Amino acid sequence: CGRKHYLGEYQFAGKSLALSFVDPPSPELLTGFYDLRPSTNPITNVMRAGGGVAKEIEARKASARLDSATRRVDIPARLAQRTLERTALYLGARPVQSVNDADFVIEINMRRFGIDARSSHAAYLYTRAEAVLLDRRTGREIWSVDIHGNDRLTPWVFGTRSVPSSIFTAATIHNVTVSDFQEALEQLVTSSSNAITYQLRDKLRDVRDR
């Protein structure tokens, strides 16, 4: 069961819609402890431990490249433009730039985003956000959704008995360039926007099909 919404109580056709974006935080890096399962082979134990350390070192280096990519991609502007256009299309509303001139406002709060390098098999770009559709005049929350976006940065690999997959992951993170991060961020913006608008479209279908 999802959140309660009030889409059926409003007429959006011909009304104006604006988008408000809460400034996103700086990108973050998630690392963690690694599963160093005991082995009777001491060389294997060293390799597993070394793989975890190597992956964390490379993830931290990659974080600096992610910062550079973030400065190249205007995440709020890209996400706002795409989401406003598609939301207005589904609602039948007219997109406007000024919140003060709008009948309805969709507010996006990107709470977290960055690199998740906790898995020994792959590294991910991720975003956690919330979108809320508001009646601007009353401030009433009409509809909302939580967004969990993920975009894999490195190939999903499994190691051998002697060579852990984290070593392969470290090697592939090492090769991710600023341009690669920029492209991944652009894809993440698109997938996050799609997640918001598709959820809204599905709820509108439920209301309009009654």
Side-chain angles (χ1 to χ4, degrees), residues 18-185:
L19 190 143
S20 175
F21 196 98
V22 179
D23 288 338
S26 299
E28 59 187 4
L29 170 69
L30 300 181
T31 61
F33 295 103
Y34 302 93
D35 181 14
L36 307 180
R37 294 180 298 279
S39 169
T40 56
N41 186 337
I43 301 299
T44 300
N45 283 334
V46 171
M47 290 290 287
R48 286 176 179 167
V53 172
K55 185 166 74 71
E56 181 154 350
I57 290 172
E58 290 302 333
R60 293 187 182 281
K61 292 179 180 178
S63 183
R65 298 196 295 276
L66 175 61
D67 286 338
S68 297
T70 303
R71 288 191 290 270
R72 295 185 183 184
V73 180
D74 191 340
I75 292 175
R78 284 177 177 268
L79 188 57
Q81 179 180 0
R82 181 179 177 85
T83 305
L84 177 60
E85 290 174 354
R86 295 179 68 85
T87 301
L89 177 64
Y90 293 142
L91 292 173
R94 174 172 49 88
V96 296
Q97 295 302 312
S98 173
V99 169
N100 293 330
D101 296 333
D103 297 303
F104 301 100
V105 176
I106 183 164
E107 182 181 83
I108 297 178
N109 181 7
M110 183 175 284
R111 297 184 178 122
R112 301 171 63 190
F113 77 103
I115 304 175
D116 187 345
R118 291 175 295 182
S119 170
S120 62
H121 301 299
Y124 298 84
L125 270 175
Y126 70 92
T127 182
R128 302 291 180 264
E130 181 186 35
V132 182
L133 179 63
L134 301 166
D135 182 331
R136 188 189 66 81
R137 289 182 174 83
T138 65
R140 187 188 190 191
E141 183 176 306
I142 302 170
W143 168 85
S144 63
V145 64
D146 288 318
I147 300 302
H148 295 251
N150 293 281
D151 201 10
R152 185 156 51 86
L153 285 172
T154 63
W156 186 276
V157 294
F158 289 92
T160 66
R161 290 184 178 180
S162 59
V163 180
S165 55
S166 54
I167 286 182
F168 294 111
T169 305
T172 51
I173 291 176
H174 176 78
N175 292 323
V176 178
T177 66
V178 173
S179 295
D180 292 332
F181 276 124
Q182 182 177 346
E183 182 178 348
L185 284 172

Side-chain angles (χ1 to χ4, degrees), residues 12 91 132 186 209:
F12 300 99
L91 292 173
V132 182
E186 291 168 355
D209 289 345

